[in-house]
Amino acid sequence: MRFIAKSVVVTGGASGMGEAVAKRLAREGASVLVADFNEAGGTRVVSEITAAGGTALFQHTDVSDPSSAQAMVDAAVTNFGKLDLAANVAGIGQGHALVQETELELWQRVNGVNSSGLFFSLRAEIPALLAAGGGAIVNVASLAGLQTFKSLNAYVASKHAAVGLTKNAALENKNIRVNGIAPGAVLTPMLGNLSQEEVDGYAASVPSGRLGTPQDIANVVAFLLSEEASFVNGAVIPVDGGLLVA
């Protein structure tokens, strides 16, 4: 129970990796604010956490809107008395398109959530953590923040921005550890349109021989937020089954 008496916001907490993170932190004693645009999913996650004996509440949040990101943090402080931790998991993908074929609306939407949305979240979270005496933040980026992927230009740009924001936030803020993780292919709703053959093909390219699960991501997020990682700061850790070095 590493997070007793700790409060945390989890963006993107209504499904996939964010849901797994929210439930993992709640199981370890944290009071969790589940922040997401998906009200039905967020409400379900909160109900499941509370039914298991945890403490959680849902806040309808659009991280691409700075006022909504601030309201998320304000709700956590109002309901829990402080904010100790944050897990910024919210993110969206994109279809394949070369740079010259990428629609402006797609570019703005992907970067609005993955890049600006992370900035707005950090901008709201950091003062609250400082007011509580410090804490820890984990940002979920992607392998696309560490390397290139042809025809995923908006996504790659947004995740490179997430990596840079993570490192700069760590540099700037004493008493707040800011780390990131870079997941590889993870079985989440974002991969829901893939056939089993496509899933198997991806898995064959991973040295570990399988795709990741949301629980794999939640395990590393929980470690980085805990005092066990007290000397880890400004790191962006691949969680990819070895795909980056394959």
Side-chain angles (χ1 to χ4, degrees):
M1 301 289 280
R2 293 178 288 186
F3 303 112
I4 292 174
K6 300 291 187 181
S7 64
V8 59
V9 296
V10 179
T11 71
S15 64
M17 292 183 287
E19 175 179 349
V21 168
K23 289 179 174 178
R24 174 62 185 268
L25 298 179
R27 284 199 304 272
E28 295 208 41
S31 297
V32 181
L33 185 137
V34 176
D36 205 293
F37 193 76
N38 177 356
E39 189 157 351
T43 301
R44 173 188 57 79
V45 171
V46 166
S47 296
E48 291 173 0
I49 288 173
T50 55
T55 300
L57 62 91
F58 173 71
Q59 176 75 15
H60 184 274
T61 304
D62 177 0
V63 294
S64 69
D65 177 354
S67 63
S68 185
Q70 184 63 57
M72 165 188 77
V73 171
D74 291 344
V77 173
T78 297
N79 286 276
F80 301 144
K82 59 176 180 169
L83 182 63
D84 302 294
L85 308 166
N88 295 311
V89 189
I92 59 174
Q94 71 155 101
H96 289 264
L98 299 175
V99 170
Q100 65 271 26
E101 298 170 350
T102 300
E103 297 290 340
L104 181 59
E105 187 276 334
L106 183 147
W107 175 270
Q108 292 174 329
R109 179 168 55 86
V110 171
N111 281 278
V113 174
N114 296 354
S115 176
S116 294
L118 176 58
F119 167 69
F120 296 146
S121 298
L122 290 168
R123 185 170 177 265
E125 293 158 357
I126 288 170
L129 266 68
L130 290 173
I137 298 172
V138 175
N139 301 322
V140 175
S142 168
L143 284 189
L146 301 176
Q147 62 183 62
T148 57
F149 286 88
K150 184 178 178 180
S151 300
L152 294 178
N153 301 286
Y155 188 73
V156 166
S158 71
K159 292 301 185 178
H160 272 70
V163 168
L165 277 168
T166 297
K167 293 180 178 181
N168 252 47
L171 175 67
E172 295 172 352
N173 292 284
K174 190 175 181 180
N175 298 327
I176 299 178
R177 293 185 302 103
V178 186
N179 292 293
I181 65 170
V186 178
L187 288 168
T188 68
M190 196 178 291
L191 295 183
N193 294 326
L194 296 181
S195 68
Q196 188 59 51
E197 183 179 3
E198 289 173 314
V199 169
D200 292 342
Y202 275 122
S205 69
V206 179
S208 292
R210 66 175 178 87
L211 299 190
T213 67
Q215 289 70 34
D216 291 324
I217 304 307
N219 292 341
V220 181
V221 172
F223 165 70
L224 289 173
L225 289 176
S226 76
E227 286 302 310
E228 295 171 23
S230 62
F231 204 55
V232 182
N233 195 16
V236 178
I237 299 173
V239 186
D240 64 349
L243 189 59
L244 186 63
V245 297

